[in-house]
Amino acid sequence: MSLLLSNATIGQLELKNRVVMSPMCMYEVKNEDGILTPFHFAHYGMRAISQVGLIITESTAVEPDGRITKNDLGLWNDDQKNEFKKLVDSIHYLGSKIGIQLNHAGRKAENAVNPVAPSAISFNDEFRTPAELTINQINEIINNFGKAAKRAENAGADMVEIHGAHGYLLHQFLSAVANHRTD
Ligand SMILES: Cc1cc2nc3c(=O)[nH]c(=O)nc-3n(C[C@H](O)[C@H](O)[C@H](O)COP(=O)(O)O)c2cc1C
């Protein structure tokens, strides 16, 4: 058997093969409530039927203003968690493992009511200037990542992935261009 199709473990997570679906935003939450739709059940279910060992969901926001767009998934409330549980159960039924990618888009949150970032610097001319986060707000976002991770666990997800790239909030903190803080 090829290495690609052989068993693998990541920590305690056991995978039937090494084929992993990377997270890909689908912008399919048409009613803007962050809740999975029939599209997502078909989209991820198809990959499980195709024998992907580990499916990682698209960027899933830890709070409403953390969405990249208003059509993204969220995991900031229990209605969202309850639908995730159904998705996780169906993916497990089909024999694959599933993780949830947690994200906050920071200054790249296109539809945020109040976009926030480490510093009040816009991504480019097409984005609004974000408000500089206070320490209390930073702690609140950290807590929201924790609460979303707990909901993922309660939904039965096999793992979470924290999005630290692509210019979103965590990446903004790591960037000397986006982060001019001195505290
Ligand atoms: C339509 C689309 C949506 C994507 N959305 C996400 C995302 O939500 N989160 C993420 O970390 N990467 C996202 N990516 C990046 C992919 O996960 C992946 O890293 C990238 O396509 C490179 O994969 P490759 O090296 O296998 O070509 C997206 C890519 C595409 C094409």
Side-chain angles (χ1 to χ4, degrees):
M1 185 190 286
S2 71
L3 182 61
L4 180 63
L5 299 181
S6 65
N7 294 344
T9 56
I10 304 173
Q12 296 178 335
L13 181 60
E14 294 181 0
L15 304 179
K16 66 181 176 183
N17 60 47
R18 293 152 195 256
V19 180
V20 177
M21 178 182 178
S22 65
M24 284 173 280
C25 283
M26 292 288 108
Y27 312 111
E28 280 290 338
V29 186
K30 299 299 185 205
N31 59 2
E32 304 173 16
D33 57 7
I35 297 179
L36 289 154
T37 70
F39 171 90
H40 298 96
F41 284 80
H43 171 63
Y44 293 117
M46 261 161 41
R47 270 61 195 195
I49 290 169
S50 306
Q51 303 302 312
V52 168
L54 171 64
I55 295 164
I56 305 180
T57 67
E58 65 206 77
S59 167
T60 298
V62 301
E63 54 182 58
D65 272 1
R67 287 176 290 184
I68 302 167
T69 76
K70 57 188 184 310
N71 302 117
D72 294 346
L73 292 176
L75 200 43
W76 64 80
N77 68 41
D78 284 346
D79 289 340
Q80 295 160 343
K81 184 215 51 183
N82 292 339
E83 284 306 297
F84 260 111
K85 180 163 187 344
K86 291 181 199 163
L87 178 68
V88 169
D89 288 347
S90 64
I91 297 300
H92 286 166
Y93 174 82
L94 296 169
S96 297
K97 298 286 168 65
I98 177 167
I100 300 175
Q101 186 185 56
L102 299 179
N103 191 22
H104 191 301
R107 67 179 185 165
K108 285 178 74 181
E110 291 178 17
N111 309 116
V113 179
N114 297 306
V116 292
S119 301
I121 303 166
S122 66
F123 179 64
N124 63 29
D125 291 346
E126 288 168 22
F127 284 81
R128 283 170 292 157
T129 301
E132 178 176 309
L133 284 161
T134 65
I135 297 291
N136 281 345
Q137 287 174 314
I138 292 172
N139 285 327
E140 199 178 322
I141 291 173
I142 292 170
N143 278 333
N144 286 337
F145 267 96
K147 287 182 193 165
K150 195 71 198 168
R151 287 194 186 93
E153 183 182 29
N154 291 338
D158 298 292
M159 55 161 284
V160 294
E161 179 181 75
I162 307 295
H163 200 337
H166 300 167
Y168 299 122
L169 185 63
L170 272 63
H171 196 184
Q172 290 159 32
F173 271 98
L174 298 173
S175 159
V177 174
N179 184 356
H180 291 190
R181 299 178 79 95
T182 55
D183 61 7

